[in-house]
Structure formats: C-alpha cells, structure tokens
Amino acid sequence: MTHWKYKRLSISFMQYLNQIAKDAMLFLSCLAPVLYGLFMKFGIPAAEKFLTGYYSREEVLVPYFLIFDLFLVVLTPMMFSFASSMVILGEIDDGITKYMSVTPLGRGGYLISRLILPLTLSFVVSIIVMNVFSLDIISFEMIILLSFLSSVLGFITTMMVVSLSANKVEGMAITKMSGISMIGIILPFFVLTRIQYLAIMLPSFWMAKFALEGKITYLILCVMVSAGWILLLLRKFMRKTM
C-alpha cells in the first residue's frame, strides 16, 4: 500500500473519529466501557463484601465474575459498532457513500476506514479495559482471544444494523434488538442442560462456552458461526453502502 493510500485512509478515519467526537451520544457510547469497567472494579467487590456479610456466606457474586468480564469485553466493540453504524447510516442519508468509488479513497478504502479500522481500535481498547478492570483471573492470551471474538461480534452487529436500517432511528432500534443476542453469554452459566444448545447460532454463546471451559472446539465454533453471519449479511451490506 502506497504512502498516499495510507494518508487517505488516515484522513478518512480521522473524519470518522471527528464525527463521533462532535456527537454527544456517540461520544458517550464509546466511553461506556470505561464507565462500566469502573463500576465493575469498585462496585461489584463492594457489593460482594456487603452480600457475604448480610447472608453470612463466603461467596455470593464471585462465581459470576466471569460473566461481568464477558459483558465488559463485549460492550467495547458493541459501542464502537453502534458508533460506526450511526456514522455510516448518516453518510448513506447524505448520499456520501455513493460517490466513494470515484474518489481517490475508493470503495475499499471507505469500508476499511469505517469497518476495519474501528474494528481494530475496538480490539485494542477491549484488551486494555480487560487488563485494567477484569474481576476474574484471566490469562493475557485468553483476553486477546476474547477481545478478538468480541470485535468480530461488533463487526457483525454493524453489518446487521446498516443492512436492515433505512435511517438512524431504525438503526438505534435494531441496535437495541441486536443486544438480545448477548443472552448467549449467560446461558452456559445458568442453563446446565442441553436446552442451552438452542442458542448454537449465537456467536456469544460459543464465546462464553470457550471462556468458561477453555476448549479450542468452542473457539472454532464461535469463529465458524460468526463467519456464517458475516456471509449472510455481506451482500446486503455491500448493496446498501454502495
């Protein structure tokens, strides 16, 4: 990739960040993982101390620390996904995306600056917030893998929201609905029968299974299910953005 290509991508990505910085809702949504992390780091241990004393038990919330961590690692890309979706939908409404293919940036460059670079940023931020705020004892290698899987979930959410929404209002509604898919995180912890496998089409389910049991099979299944969702949404997403 040439120097000029890098420069155009950098300018486009900075424009993306500038749009987020100017929109209070999008800016605060990107700060949400840090706010949740602070709540986790200080609020959950305090609640654990109170509950163990109140109920005279050794543990109350400790067995579920991993659930809080999984929601933290997923929240970061989900919030970045929401911001990316709103920016892309706004540019579609303004007719900007239609002209990208004839600009020096090109169609590919536009998609990189709106999808791949935010995805990469969310991956890095996920690693940082997990290292700073994680409650459970998780290895650095596991944090990297979970951050990667959650970033892919964010990528899928962006494609889903942009593909199925006609405007920003619909985009916000679909983003909220897509949050239901995160139910897959809690199923392996509370549904111990085979009924839990009704959620096999949710990447979040396999990610939680992988985090809980550490089996590489679940990592592979999460990647495969995620790839299936991406392929399902890709054509509609490409038609919508271009």
Side-chain angles (χ1 to χ4, degrees), residues 1 11 29 37 40 69 75 78 81 98 101 108 119 133 144-145 148 163 188 219 234:
M1 189 179 292
I11 293 173
S29 70
M40 269 182 46
D69 286 346
L75 182 63
M78 289 297 287
S81 164
K98 294 180 180 179
S101 59
L119 171 72
F133 299 118
I144 291 177
L145 289 172
F148 168 75
S163 299
L219 172 64
L234 186 60

Side-chain angles (χ1 to χ4, degrees), residues 125-238:
V125 174
S126 292
I127 293 173
I128 294 172
V129 296
M130 282 293 287
N131 274 288
V132 174
F133 299 118
S134 176
L135 296 174
D136 207 7
I137 301 174
I138 305 176
S139 68
F140 185 67
E141 292 78 10
M142 178 62 81
I143 288 176
I144 291 177
L145 289 172
L146 291 177
S147 297
F148 168 75
L149 294 176
S150 63
S151 295
V152 174
L153 292 184
F155 182 75
I156 293 171
T157 302
T158 301
M159 295 184 69
M160 182 181 299
V161 172
V162 174
S163 299
L164 302 179
S165 306
N167 50 56
K168 286 186 177 182
V169 175
E170 289 185 8
M172 287 188 280
I174 292 175
T175 299
K176 292 177 182 178
M177 291 177 60
S178 68
I180 298 174
S181 66
M182 294 303 107
I183 194 174
I185 290 176
I186 64 175
L187 289 179
F189 293 87
F190 296 106
V191 182
L192 305 181
T193 65
R194 292 184 179 274
I195 295 177
Q196 66 178 251
Y197 289 101
L198 291 174
I200 59 174
M201 295 308 295
L202 299 178
S204 60
F205 171 73
W206 295 114
M207 185 180 75
K209 293 281 286 184
F210 172 62
L212 187 61
E213 301 181 32
K215 294 181 179 179
I216 194 67
T217 303
Y218 296 140
L219 172 64
I220 295 171
L221 285 169
C222 185
V223 172
M224 290 176 62
V225 172
S226 298
W229 278 106
I230 291 172
L231 291 174
L232 183 66
L233 294 166
L234 186 60
R235 181 176 297 178
K236 188 172 180 61
F237 175 85
M238 295 298 287

Side-chain angles (χ1 to χ4, degrees), residues 19-38:
Q19 289 188 63
I20 292 175
K22 289 182 176 180
D23 189 305
M25 180 180 66
L26 298 184
F27 182 73
L28 289 174
S29 70
C30 291
L31 288 181
V34 175
L35 299 176
Y36 175 68
L38 288 170

Side-chain angles (χ1 to χ4, degrees), residues 46-67:
E48 170 71 3
K49 184 177 180 180
F50 170 78
L51 291 172
T52 52
Y54 187 83
Y55 291 106
S56 300
R57 295 176 59 181
E58 291 186 4
E59 295 180 343
V60 177
L61 297 177
V62 169
Y64 308 109
F65 276 6
L66 182 57
I67 297 179

